Structure formats: structure tokens, C-alpha cells
Amino acid sequence: MAKPSARIGFIQLVLAGAIIDVVARSAQLQIVQGEQWRAEAVKVRTRHRALPARRGMISDRAGLPLAETREFYQVGIAPNEVDDPRAMARVVNRSLDGLNYTATSLEQRLRQDRYFSQSGPFTATEVAPLRGLKGVYLTPIHERTYPAPALARGAIGDMVGDHGVSGLEQDLDSLLAGVAGETVYLRDPRGRQLESPDRLIRNPVPGNDVYLTIDGTLQEIAERALDHALEQMHARSGDVVFLDVRNGEVLAVASRLANALPGTSALLTPFEPGSTAKLFTAAALLMHDRVDSTDTVDPAGGRWTMTLPGKRVTTREIRDAHVEHTPLTLAKTIEVSSNIGIIKFAGRLSLTEQFDMLRDFGFGSRTGVEVFNESRGRLDLPTGLRNEDIRSSRAMGYEISVTPIQLAAAYAAIANGGVLFAPTLVREVRAPDGRVIYRHRPEPVRRVITPAVAARLRDYLRAAVGEGGTGEQAQLQSYKLVGKTGTSHETENGRYVDRYTGSFAAIFPAADPQFVAIVKIDAPTGVSYYGAQTAAPLLKEMLLEALASPQSVVSRDLRAAPAGDERSAERLEPVRPAASVPVVAVSWPYHSVDTTVAAGPVPDVSGTSVRAAAATLQRRGYRVSLHGFGQVTRTVPAAGETVRPGTTVAVWTDR
């Protein structure tokens, strides 16, 4: 039998081992694994709650809300914290309009001691009586609302959840979306929220407010008139664009289908412009000094067989809707919209000269308007065996496709004296505190034609909407306009079909151009399909209503316009000698070049892309003339040559 001292020693040893084990385990839990278990405890006892941020408002140019975010509330009740379920049930039932519970059934739910949540949403007025009540938790939520649901809906777009999925809601999402805040609250082991104040991690940051260039009154006029026209003409769809020629601001953009659904085809869907494009061939002829006011061509009695050298089919018949028998000047060709006349005049241009003028007016390139998937249209390079055929087709407005916004920007250049501006839908961006963080400034892309040529082209358009002109039905009595009608075949599976698009491009008013309007009607039936009988009268209707409305930007600007026959911009520079007009890339925002800066070497941009080369050269103060679309092979002046800022550097590419 063991001695008592031995037993005591053994017990002490066991206790010591147990103590060591407890200490070691404690050290492991608190020192080695302390952070892990502390994090687990925090995870079990706390929950993070996001605080939604207000999304920025979208307004028209005058501040009329087109899209705004309103705050609503979800209501949650913790029954274990409610002292008087009957009184709570009566207050909730009386306050929350539309609650699907009677006071009795709500009381029964509260007595079951489980968390009750009514999703709502409820307005601030509805939840006001519940604020501060023990056991009631109000969770703010934000909902996007559209005060004028139909106004500019196609351009504004839609949202799913917290993100825009179309239109400006998507394209300006990074500007409009705020940054959510965050709080932390405590809960018991059963998951119930404890009665303790939330701990704020960070406050939500609201999004920026965006003020569009769109005028709400003019937009409503355009949409209503377009809906009515599509119904009357039994047309498939239509588009309207109003553009300020002085700064590129889009004043109205409406796209509609026959079922009155909004769309964005004015920005995204190209079409062959037909006779509205004849003016750009005329511009090339004038800029290259290939025609004067006395030159004429034979209209061939409205029917002419054109010879196509080098093709299996060697002839092509050209017809005119307006039969002429006397020789046509270029001005008369535009006035009566003669296909035969413009093709014969276009024969004085090379295909490259015609292509360069179309490209300089912005065709084949995106305009830069704030739309992510804007179409660049179609303007193929002048290559292949169909040169004669392509030149003739482009002179008539075929073998090229443009969007209404591209056509509006091009006509705006004719209206303002020859400068192509990048169109914009965004006029101003303001921070949540009201500070203006962006304000649109006119963005000149390039000078396309001289002021003198622009004035000649407007003279041609005056005749086109005068007595006997194709656009006569659009003319107003009080304020004269100038413009050009267009009619083109539609295509299906690469072939022309017996459907038409009627269009009208107008500069208004004629004496002091301030706005350009483009109207397009697709596949009208039951009436004439010509632009002169479809699009032109529709524009007249819209302008008359806009002039009669003191709230529209058209009537406001005309009242403030200075008197005079022509804009002073036309007298800024003399007529230039005939020469090729380069494509000049200008950095944004545009700053005039200070020619007093010392000369420096031209940087070597060989092997870079056109975009990168243009950016590098512009940063040095040079203007850029682009010749091609591939990788840069050389520049003139060459890399290393010393030239002054403001000099035009020609950039040549491998294709």
C-alpha cells in the first residue's frame, strides 16, 4: 500500500499537469489563436449594415428632374423588445397604409416572439409615428423614380438594382452612383438585434447630379409630334434631333417605334441619308474649286444611262423624280435634288477627294456624344474596282450610312461657318454640395470648309426650301429656314427593297443660324414616302409649336438673337485657295495654340497608333493631319526636325 506522501505527490503531479495543460491551452487560445477567436466572436455578435447612397439626379438644361432618387423605408420590429404588443400593433396598423395585417393578426405575430419585417417601401411621412419606438427599426432604401416617365426615356435609359443598364443611366453610372456607407449593430446568440446604438463605420456619399443639354419643352414637342406622325403615316419608326450649331449641345433627341415605345436609334442606328448628303459632294466641289456659278450639266430629261468602265455590267440607269430639261447649275441641282446632276458634277472629283470630304464632316467616325455604344456608321475606304459606281452612289447619298446625330453635326458645321463640333448631351455636372465640377465647353473637332463655302451651301439650301424646291412644305412665314430633303431605299439582307426612309435636314433660322434639326421617318405607308411630304411637314409642325411656346429654348434664343443677315463667323477668314482639307485632331478641352512658345523637335511617334501619336503631338502644341488609320510609319516634318508649336504635322500610316 502506497504511502500517503506518495499518493499526495501523485495527486499534485496530476494537478500540476492539468494546470499546465489549462495554461498552455489558454495561451494557445488567447495568444496564438487570439485574433482568430476574437474575429469569430465579433462575427457572431455583430452584423454590418450598408447605408445606401443617394444616386445623382438627371435634369434637363433648366433643372427639370428627369430621373431622381427618393428615400423610402423598410420597417422591422423586434418583438422581444416590444413592451406592449397590442399598442404597437395599433400604431403600426394605423401608420402604414396598405399593410396586409389587421391590428389583431399583427398583435398575434408580435406575441410569437420572432422578428417581424414588413418590406414596404414606406414614405418618410408614413413611418414618422414609428420613429423612436422601442423595438422598431427603420432601414432607409432608395428608389429611382422618373417624374415625367415618357420624357426623353430612350436617352435616359433604365436601371436594374443599383446600376444603370441602358441609356445615360448606364453610360454615366460612374458619375451618378454614390458610395454606400456602413454601420455595425450587435445581436444576441439567437440572432436578435440588441438594444444598442449602431456604430457608424462611414457615411454614405451621394452621387453627382447631371444637367443635360436637353430642353424639356422642345423634347416633349418632338416626342408628341413624332408619335402623331408615325400614327398618321403608319410608319415603322422615326427620329428627331435638334442641335445647337454654336456649341454642339443636343436640345432634343427623340426616337420612336410605331407602338410609341422609346428608343435610341437617333444615336445608334445608321441609315443611308439619300439626297440630304448631296450637299457634301457640293462642298467638296467648292473647296477644290471644281465648279463655279455658271457651270452646268445636262439633266438628260430625267433619265440617263451612265457608263461604268471595267465592270461586267457596264451601264447603270439613273432617274430623277423631278424631271428637268434645261441645263442645271450646281445650285439648281441641289434645289431640285437631281441625281443626274449631282453625279455628273461629282465626276469632277476623285473618289479620294469625295471620301476625304465625307470623313471631314464626321461620317464613318463616332461623334463622341456620351453614349457607350454609339454607331460610327459606314464609310468604306476608297478601294476596289467599283470606284465610278461608288462615287456616283455616294453623291446621291448611298454607299454611306450615317446616324441622325452624325447628320445633325455635319449640317451644324455648314450652319456655323464651317466648324465641326462634337455633340454633347451633358451640360453640367454638380457635386452633392452643389459645386459645379464640370461644365461643357464647345469642342471643335476641325474646320471642314471655309466660311465662304458654308455661305454658298446655305444659299443652295435656301433655294431647296423656296418656291419649287423639294423642301417647300417645311417653310415658315415668320422665321425662314433652309434645308434639304432626302429619300432613300431601305435594305434587307444586303438588297434594296421597296421600302423607303424620308428625311429632312434643316438649318434654322436662315438669317442667323442657331439650330439644326434632323427628322427621319422609316417605312411610311398610306402616304407619299418622300422626305418632302413626310419629314419636312413634320418639322414645320414642331417648329411652329416651339415658337409658340415661351418655355422652349427655340423661342427664348430667337428673342435674344441679335439682328443681322449672317453670322459674324463667316467673316473670320478669307476664302482659302482650293486644297485638300486635312483631318485635324484637336485635344480637349480645346485651347488655342500660343505661337510665341519656342520651337522644338518633333517627337518620334513611329510604330504607335494614330490615337497615341495624335495625343503625343498635341501635347507639344502641334496640329495633326491624319493620313490613314493603322500604325504610324512617318511624319512630315520628320521626327527630330525643329518646328514651332501650331505647325501642322502630317501623320502617315501603313494603311
Side-chain angles (χ1 to χ4, degrees):
M1 186 172 183
K3 296 181 179 179
S5 59
R7 290 198 299 273
I8 293 172
F10 175 75
I11 292 171
Q12 289 176 336
L13 183 62
V14 170
L15 290 175
I19 292 172
I20 293 172
D21 186 59
V22 169
V23 171
R25 181 59 174 162
S26 298
Q28 180 188 22
L29 293 175
Q30 297 184 47
I31 299 175
V32 179
Q33 300 177 346
E35 281 300 320
Q36 174 186 343
W37 290 110
R38 273 192 294 272
E40 186 68 23
V42 170
K43 182 179 178 181
V44 171
R45 296 186 65 246
T46 62
R47 279 291 182 267
H48 291 257
R49 177 186 291 128
L51 299 177
R54 179 189 66 82
R55 187 176 178 85
M57 178 177 63
I58 301 177
S59 306
D60 81 340
R61 65 191 296 116
L64 173 71
L66 301 176
E68 60 183 351
T69 297
R70 304 174 99 185
E71 189 172 63
F72 295 90
Y73 295 87
Q74 289 181 327
V75 177
I77 304 174
N80 62 307
E81 301 176 22
V82 176
D83 296 328
D84 189 344
R86 177 174 297 178
M88 176 66 75
R90 282 199 294 265
V91 173
V92 171
N93 184 260
R94 185 169 58 249
S95 303
L96 303 184
D97 185 36
L99 193 65
N100 295 324
Y101 293 96
T102 64
T104 302
S105 61
L106 182 56
E107 180 185 349
Q108 291 174 351
R109 287 208 60 182
L110 294 176
R111 292 186 184 279
Q112 292 174 359
D113 194 30
R114 67 173 182 236
Y115 188 75
F116 165 74
S117 176
Q118 176 65 31
S119 60
F122 300 108
T123 65
T125 302
E126 290 175 317
V127 302
L130 305 180
R131 291 184 183 275
L133 295 182
K134 184 179 179 181
V136 176
Y137 297 91
L138 305 178
T139 304
I141 59 173
H142 291 101
E143 285 195 1
R144 198 65 163 169
T145 62
Y146 301 91
L151 193 63
R153 201 72 174 90
I156 292 174
D158 291 297
M159 294 185 60
V160 172
D162 296 332
H163 301 286
V165 294
S166 64
L168 294 174
E169 290 278 29
Q170 178 184 31
D171 300 323
L172 304 179
D173 193 72
S174 60
L175 282 173
L176 295 167
V179 179
E182 187 179 11
T183 62
V184 173
Y185 66 90
L186 301 178
R187 64 177 190 166
D188 65 14
R190 297 178 61 183
R192 296 174 299 188
Q193 183 168 337
L194 297 178
E195 188 176 355
S196 61
D198 291 356
R199 180 164 58 90
L200 180 66
I201 302 299
R202 64 175 180 271
N203 283 312
V205 179
N208 301 302
D209 294 328
V210 175
Y211 290 76
L212 303 181
T213 59
I214 287 174
D215 176 71
T217 301
L218 186 59
Q219 179 74 25
E220 183 182 7
I221 290 171
E223 291 178 352
R224 186 171 60 248
L226 187 56
D227 286 340
H228 178 70
L230 295 184
E231 181 182 355
Q232 294 294 323
M233 300 176 190
H234 305 288
R236 184 185 65 243
S237 57
D239 301 293
V240 173
V241 174
F242 279 86
L243 189 72
D244 192 322
V245 306
R246 300 159 294 186
N247 50 32
E249 292 185 355
V250 178
L251 304 174
V253 53
S255 298
R256 282 292 199 272
L257 300 175
N259 54 9
L261 289 176
T264 53
S265 55
L267 308 173
L268 307 181
T269 306
F271 71 106
E272 289 186 307
S275 294
T276 57
K278 288 176 179 173
L279 209 63
F280 308 119
T281 294
L285 288 163
L286 294 173
M287 285 297 295
H288 291 286
D289 199 22
R290 303 293 166 77
V291 66
D292 62 33
S293 59
T294 61
D295 287 347
T296 61
V297 295
D298 180 12
R303 180 175 293 188
W304 174 55
T305 301
M306 180 178 66
T307 302
L308 300 175
K311 293 191 63 177
R312 185 172 59 185
V313 179
T314 59
T315 61
R316 176 183 178 185
E317 187 175 70
I318 306 298
R319 296 186 180 185
D320 279 340
H322 306 276
V323 177
E324 295 289 330
H325 297 281
T326 57
L328 299 175
T329 63
L330 182 58
K332 188 67 175 180
T333 296
I334 299 299
E335 177 185 342
V336 299
S337 198
S338 171
N339 292 330
I340 296 172
I342 199 66
I343 289 174
K344 289 185 175 181
F345 276 118
R348 305 180 183 190
L349 296 168
S350 70
L351 189 63
T352 299
E353 289 170 337
Q354 185 189 47
F355 171 85
D356 285 345
M357 181 56 63
L358 292 170
R359 185 185 62 178
D360 288 354
F361 270 107
F363 302 129
S365 302
R366 295 184 179 91
T367 65
V369 70
E370 298 85 355
V371 178
F372 174 72
N373 53 346
E374 181 195 2
S375 172
R376 64 174 67 247
R378 174 183 167 229
L379 179 62
D380 297 331
L381 289 169
T383 58
L385 302 176
R386 299 179 53 236
N387 287 1
E388 189 72 25
D389 198 15
I390 290 175
R391 180 173 56 198
S392 302
S393 295
R394 286 180 176 170
M396 296 186 294
Y398 291 93
E399 290 285 347
I400 175 179
S401 63
V402 305
T403 60
I405 190 69
Q406 284 179 317
L407 192 60
Y411 265 79
I414 295 171
N416 66 30
V419 177
L420 181 70
F421 283 100
T424 182
L425 282 164
V426 177
R427 194 182 198 205
E428 198 171 84
V429 179
R430 296 183 185 179
D433 60 5
R435 289 180 299 108
V436 176
I437 59 177
Y438 168 82
R439 180 174 287 131
H440 173 257
R441 294 181 179 178
E443 299 179 357
V445 179
R446 65 181 69 88
R447 173 169 287 285
V448 184
I449 53 179
T450 65
V453 168
R456 287 276 296 277
L457 294 174
R458 292 199 300 276
D459 285 339
Y460 295 167
L461 293 178
R462 282 187 179 88
V465 293
E467 186 175 353
T470 58
E472 182 181 2
Q473 293 190 43
Q475 195 56 268
L476 305 177
Q477 294 298 319
S478 55
Y479 291 94
K480 298 295 184 180
L481 59 79
V482 299
K484 183 73 186 74
T485 60
T487 307
S488 59
H489 279 272
E490 293 189 355
T491 59
E492 189 174 286
N493 299 322
R495 299 178 65 87
Y496 288 108
V497 295
D498 195 23
R499 290 195 306 270
Y500 299 87
T501 294
S503 57
F504 185 56
I507 298 172
F508 178 79
D512 186 26
Q514 296 180 48
F515 312 109
V516 158
I518 304 296
V519 179
K520 178 173 74 75
I521 303 294
D522 300 312
T525 58
V527 296
S528 172
Y529 53 77
Y530 289 107
Q533 283 80 44
T534 56
L538 175 57
L539 177 60
K540 180 177 182 179
E541 176 187 339
M542 288 187 287
L543 285 176
L544 287 174
E545 188 171 352
L547 288 169
S549 172
Q551 288 79 33
S552 80
V553 66
V554 173
S555 62
R556 290 197 304 268
D557 278 23
L558 289 182
R559 288 197 302 270
D565 291 335
E566 295 293 344
R567 295 186 62 79
S568 58
E570 295 176 15
R571 297 185 289 273
L572 288 179
E573 60 180 71
V575 179
R576 295 187 295 185
S580 174
V581 182
V583 179
V584 179
V586 184
S587 57
W588 311 126
Y590 174 78
H591 299 286
S592 59
V593 176
D594 183 2
T595 56
T596 63
V597 180
V602 175
D604 185 2
V605 293
S606 299
T608 64
S609 67
V610 167
R611 182 184 294 272
T616 300
L617 293 167
Q618 288 160 5
R619 283 195 293 268
R620 302 289 181 90
Y622 304 119
R623 302 181 74 202
V624 182
S625 171
L626 305 179
H627 299 268
F629 303 92
Q631 297 293 310
V632 176
T633 57
R634 62 188 176 91
T635 62
V636 179
E641 288 190 31
T642 301
V643 294
R644 300 187 68 85
T647 303
T648 297
V649 177
V651 176
W652 297 86
T653 69
D654 55 4
R655 59 184 177 88

